[in-house]
Amino acid sequence: LSHWPNPLAACCPQDLEQQTGPRLRELLDEQKGEVTFNQDPIVPPPEQGTKANPILVPSAMAERVVGYEDPDVGQLVWFTLAKGPIHYVPDIDLYFKLFPVGGDDDHAH
């Protein structure tokens, strides 16, 4: 069916034409082959996660949402990691810290 023209294309705005803000930037970057919001899991070395050596979470923004699997129920739990303080997660007994990367506060990696 991909060889047939999209009948809605002439009258209805497409996804890219309707997006704004971070989602628009993400779509435009995808067209250039760039990753705006890295969603790959962070697998830290075994020695990371202590208060003295927290897991470093890269972000070009002042905060980033981070998820982990709750060991008791197997569900994802999300929290917001902010620039500055170390964040302790008692469920998994690990410490996290935002690690600044990239350039501006509008573009996350």
Side-chain angles (χ1 to χ4, degrees), residues 6-9 13-16 19 24 31 35-38 54 56 59 61 65 72-73 75 79 85 106:
N6 182 352
L8 299 177
Q14 300 301 299
D15 188 33
L16 185 63
Q19 298 301 325
L24 176 60
Q31 289 179 342
V35 176
T36 306
F37 299 109
N38 186 339
L56 300 177
S59 180
M61 299 177 75
V65 175
D72 295 329
V73 294
Q75 292 181 331
F79 66 92
D106 295 330

Side-chain angles (χ1 to χ4, degrees), residues 26 34-42 57-59 64-65 108-109:
E26 183 177 31
E34 298 175 6
V35 176
T36 306
F37 299 109
N38 186 339
Q39 298 176 15
D40 294 338
I42 296 171
V57 179
S59 180
R64 178 174 175 174
V65 175
H109 291 276

